[in-house]
Amino acid sequence: MKFDDRPHDVAALGDGAQAESTFAALAAPLVDEALAQNASIHADATPESLHQLRVALRRLRSLWWAYRPLLDKAENTRQRALYRFLADAAGRTRDWDILLELLSGSNDEADASDRARDVPASLREARERALATSRETLINADIRNVLHDALASTSKELNTAPERHALQKFAAKRVRIAEQSLRKRMRKAARAKRADYESLHDVRKAGKRVRYLIEFFGPALADIRHDRTIRRLKNLQQCFGELNDVIASIALLRDNMNLFPSDDEARGALAFLKERRRQRRREAVRLLQKA
């Protein structure tokens, strides 16, 4: 099930909409999506369900970031850290899925090396162990009550605040701040050295935040060009996401070299991923230079 990224109820609120009263309309579908994907993981943890849970939790984290100026700072920080913790719990298994996908060549060009395609069963077993840990973490976190409580408490805080903010003005300012952060990170990444993957990763994170905020507040934004901006950000996110997937897979493989039948096979798989990293980095830098 793919996440519905259309704006939720914002357009129907009219020009007089307030940021505070809009929050629940934005957050509730994200909470529902996260809970649906969490239930799916416990029934049948496909790579897609794990990915979509992470996406829903990241979007929640971005929404709480958007509303940060209107919320208690300490509580907002705690909520966003919680969403990151839950996303990371699902992410540990998702990282194994990406590594296996890359090594099997299932999503790669036809000339992927035969050695890289021969994935040891021990790696698939490690993925299942990671899944068991992810499930246990999410169960113990009581994600349903945690998310519903967060939605209720934050909505109450906003709706009982003495001051009100026009949605259009508030949304435009938060999107503008996110865009400024993205441009700053893009400039830094453009000047970065070849081995500085962290700056490229920062561009990816900043780009996702801008995209999510535009999707949240789109109908309330005066800029009619936001559809084109979203398409550009999706292209950036895909390219930089593919680079990040390879980087994360290299780190995971290095931590589990002992799972390969021989040192030669482990080194062969690592060399394969390093070459893929070089290709993906070149593509990311090229896209960055065009932006």
Side-chain angles (χ1 to χ4, degrees), residues 2-130:
K2 186 177 180 181
F3 180 72
D4 177 8
D5 61 2
R6 293 171 299 179
H8 296 280
D9 301 327
V10 175
L13 297 175
D15 295 337
Q18 297 174 341
E20 288 81 1
S21 57
T22 305
F23 174 81
L26 294 169
L30 300 178
V31 169
D32 291 344
E33 173 67 11
L35 295 179
Q37 295 299 341
N38 185 53
S40 177
I41 288 171
H42 292 299
D44 181 16
T46 65
E48 184 63 13
S49 64
L50 288 160
H51 172 63
Q52 292 302 329
L53 175 60
R54 290 176 84 184
V55 170
L57 290 166
R58 286 169 176 169
R59 289 171 68 88
L60 280 168
R61 196 163 183 260
S62 293
L63 182 61
W64 255 259
W65 179 89
Y67 275 84
R68 184 169 62 178
L70 308 184
L71 297 169
D72 176 78
K73 182 177 180 181
E75 178 61 16
N76 183 265
T77 299
R78 189 189 73 81
Q79 291 289 354
R80 295 182 65 237
L82 176 61
Y83 301 142
R84 182 170 186 172
F85 167 78
L86 295 173
D88 287 346
R92 284 189 285 272
T93 304
R94 176 61 178 161
D95 288 345
W96 276 105
D97 287 330
I98 293 170
L99 175 61
L100 295 172
E101 201 172 77
L102 287 168
L103 294 183
S104 68
S106 59
N107 250 353
D108 298 322
E109 292 83 350
D111 62 349
S113 72
D114 291 336
R115 177 178 292 172
R117 289 176 180 274
D118 187 16
V119 179
S122 54
L123 267 68
R124 302 189 187 280
E125 293 167 358
R127 187 267 183 189
E128 293 307 309
R129 291 193 295 272

Side-chain angles (χ1 to χ4, degrees), residues 6 19 27 40 49 70 76 81 96 103 114 124 154 156 166 175 183 195 208 212 227 238 241 244 248 256 269 275 279:
R6 293 171 299 179
S40 177
S49 64
L70 308 184
N76 183 265
W96 276 105
L103 294 183
D114 291 336
R124 302 189 187 280
T154 301
K156 180 178 179 181
V175 170
R183 288 193 293 270
K208 282 194 295 186
Y212 292 159
D227 287 342
Q238 179 177 348
N244 185 70
N256 293 276
E275 173 60 21
Q279 295 169 357

Side-chain angles (χ1 to χ4, degrees), residues 53 55 72 165 169 218 234 259 274:
L53 175 60
V55 170
D72 176 78
H165 299 79
K169 184 177 180 180
K234 284 182 177 179
L259 295 180
K274 285 183 176 179

Side-chain angles (χ1 to χ4, degrees), residues 106-165:
S106 59
N107 250 353
D108 298 322
E109 292 83 350
D111 62 349
S113 72
D114 291 336
R115 177 178 292 172
R117 289 176 180 274
D118 187 16
V119 179
S122 54
L123 267 68
R124 302 189 187 280
E125 293 167 358
R127 187 267 183 189
E128 293 307 309
R129 291 193 295 272
L131 173 59
T133 300
S134 293
R135 280 174 166 161
E136 181 180 6
T137 300
L138 293 170
I139 289 172
N140 291 337
D142 192 13
I143 187 171
R144 174 173 292 278
N145 287 328
V146 163
L147 295 186
H148 279 307
D149 288 349
L151 175 57
S153 63
T154 301
S155 296
K156 180 178 179 181
E157 180 183 354
L158 290 168
N159 290 324
T160 57
E163 188 177 359
R164 288 290 178 267
H165 299 79

Side-chain angles (χ1 to χ4, degrees), residues 234-287:
K234 284 182 177 179
N235 290 335
L236 184 148
Q237 186 175 337
Q238 179 177 348
C239 179
F240 280 66
E242 290 172 352
L243 171 62
N244 185 70
D245 286 348
V246 180
I247 292 171
S249 293
I250 288 175
L252 185 59
L253 189 150
R254 279 176 167 158
D255 288 341
N256 293 276
M257 299 282 277
N258 61 308
L259 295 180
F260 285 83
S262 69
D263 290 343
D264 285 346
E265 290 186 51
R267 286 193 294 267
L270 185 59
F272 168 76
L273 292 180
K274 285 183 176 179
E275 173 60 21
R276 185 53 48 86
R277 180 181 63 184
R278 185 186 68 80
Q279 295 169 357
R280 296 302 186 216
R281 182 192 180 280
R282 186 172 61 238
E283 293 167 2
V285 171
R286 187 182 300 121
L287 183 60

